Amino acid sequence: MGEWVLKKWLCAALGLLMFGMLAAGCGNSGPKKIVVGLDDNFPPMGFRDESNEIVGFDIDMAKEAAKRAGLEVEFKPIDWSSKEAELNGKRVDVLWNGLTITEKRKENIAFTKPYMENHQIIIVNANSPIKTKADLAGQVVGTQDGSSSVEALEKEEAVLKSFKELKKYGDYVAALMDLKAGRLGAVVVDEVVGRYYIAKKPGEYTVLNDNFGTEEYGVGLRKDDKALLDKLQKAMDDMKKDGTSGKISQKWFGAEIVK
C-alpha cells in the first residue's frame, strides 16, 4: 500500500513539475531578439563613438524599427566581406549597414524596399592632378573588400584594367588614411561614408564629378525569413509616413535623404 501511494505521489509531483515548466515557458514568450550584423567602421551608418558604443544612422533606424516590431535587437560586428555566410549561417539575422541591393546579392539575400540612394564616388587628395576617371590610368586605387564599390568598378572593365592596382582594404577608413599618406592615387567609396569622412577634414580631399554609378540601400535577411521581413518593412513604412526616419536622417546627414 505504501509503495502504491509513493508512486501516485511521484506521478502527481512529476505532473505538477511539467505543468510548471510549460507555464514558465508560456510566460517567457517575450519579444524575439534579432541579431543585426554590421561593419562597425562604416560611419555614419554604423561605427563606434568615443565611448566605444556602436552608433550611427542605420543603428538608430534598426533600433526604432525593431521596437515597433516588438523585437529586441543586438548589434554584432562582422567581417563585411563574409556577410552572406554570416547571414545564411544564422550567426546574424539581419544585415543593416549601408547594404547595396544588387542582382548578385538578391540570389542569396531577401531585401526590404530601398530606403536610401547612394553613389560610388571617387575621392582624391586636394592637390591631386587626377580630375576624371581617365586620369586613374596607372594609379593605385583603393576601396573596401567585399563592398559594392568592387562590383561597381568591375562593371567598368576598361577603367579597372587601366589601374596600376586595385588595392582592397578591410574598411573604407583605412583606404582613406592611405590616400592621405600618399600610398594611393584615389579611393572609390560609398558617398555616405566618403562625404561624412571628408567633411571632418575640410580642405584635405576633393570629390571628382565622375562617379561609378548610383545604387540603393536595403535591409538584408535570409530568404526564408518572410515573416520577419514583413514586420520590418511595415515598421520602416510607418517610420517614413510619420516622419521618424526623416528626423533620424536630419540627425546624421543634416537633410532628409530617406527614400
Side-chain angles (χ1 to χ4, degrees):
M1 183 72 174
E3 186 179 343
W4 180 81
V5 170
L6 180 62
K7 282 182 179 177
K8 191 174 179 182
W9 183 86
L10 284 170
C11 286
L14 185 60
L16 283 169
L17 179 63
M18 290 177 70
F19 177 80
M21 289 170 70
L22 284 168
C26 292
N28 289 337
S29 59
K32 180 188 170 189
K33 182 174 80 173
I34 57 168
V35 179
V36 174
L38 75 150
D39 169 5
D40 64 350
N41 202 9
F42 192 64
M45 309 307 276
F47 63 105
R48 292 188 183 273
D49 66 9
E50 297 82 359
S51 306
N52 208 35
E53 294 294 316
I54 296 175
V55 297
F57 170 77
D58 275 336
I59 306 305
D60 286 353
M61 289 284 285
K63 282 179 178 177
E64 179 65 23
K67 183 174 78 174
R68 292 180 183 223
L71 301 165
E72 294 177 11
V73 61
E74 174 190 339
F75 296 97
K76 182 179 179 182
I78 59 172
D79 177 354
W80 199 243
S81 63
S82 303
K83 56 191 167 294
E84 290 184 23
E86 294 285 334
L87 178 66
N88 290 313
K90 299 193 174 181
R91 290 178 288 279
V92 299
D93 303 305
V94 176
L95 298 172
W96 197 330
N97 194 212
L99 179 64
T100 301
I101 301 169
T102 68
E103 292 306 312
K104 186 177 178 183
R105 286 176 178 169
K106 281 181 182 177
E107 293 172 10
N108 298 307
I109 297 174
F111 282 96
T112 61
K113 291 185 291 190
Y115 66 91
M116 184 181 285
E117 267 192 2
N118 180 53
H119 300 88
Q120 290 298 330
I121 60 172
I122 305 162
I123 297 178
V124 298
N125 285 321
N127 59 354
S128 173
I130 298 168
K131 306 296 180 191
T132 66
K133 279 185 193 176
D135 296 336
L136 295 173
Q139 296 286 335
V140 180
V141 177
T143 194
Q144 180 171 333
D145 190 22
S147 70
S148 55
S149 301
V150 176
E151 291 182 42
L153 285 162
E154 287 172 348
K155 287 178 184 174
E156 299 198 30
E157 193 175 351
V159 178
L160 181 58
K161 283 185 174 177
S162 76
F163 298 170
K164 180 180 179 182
E165 180 190 352
L166 177 63
K167 193 169 182 183
K168 298 174 186 175
Y169 292 79
D171 57 68
Y172 286 125
V173 176
L176 287 160
M177 288 171 69
D178 261 10
L179 173 64
K180 182 62 184 169
R183 288 186 282 271
L184 298 174
V187 172
V188 178
V189 55
D190 281 29
E191 183 173 27
V192 292
V193 180
R195 290 197 182 277
Y196 179 83
Y197 185 84
I198 66 175
K200 294 180 172 295
K201 301 177 183 295
E204 292 187 16
Y205 300 99
T206 298
V207 177
L208 302 190
N209 290 329
D210 282 352
N211 63 57
F212 282 94
T214 303
E215 58 195 28
E216 295 177 316
Y217 286 159
V219 180
L221 297 89
R222 285 183 287 276
K223 289 206 161 197
D224 58 359
D225 274 350
K226 180 75 168 57
L228 178 57
L229 177 62
D230 290 344
K231 270 188 178 183
L232 291 179
Q233 186 62 67
K234 183 182 184 308
M236 291 168 73
D237 289 345
D238 290 345
M239 287 163 63
K240 174 69 176 172
K241 283 177 194 168
D242 67 24
T244 304
S245 56
K247 287 176 186 172
I248 296 171
S249 178
Q250 284 282 354
K251 173 184 171 181
W252 291 102
F253 300 106
E256 187 171 339
I257 59 173
V258 178
K259 282 176 71 74

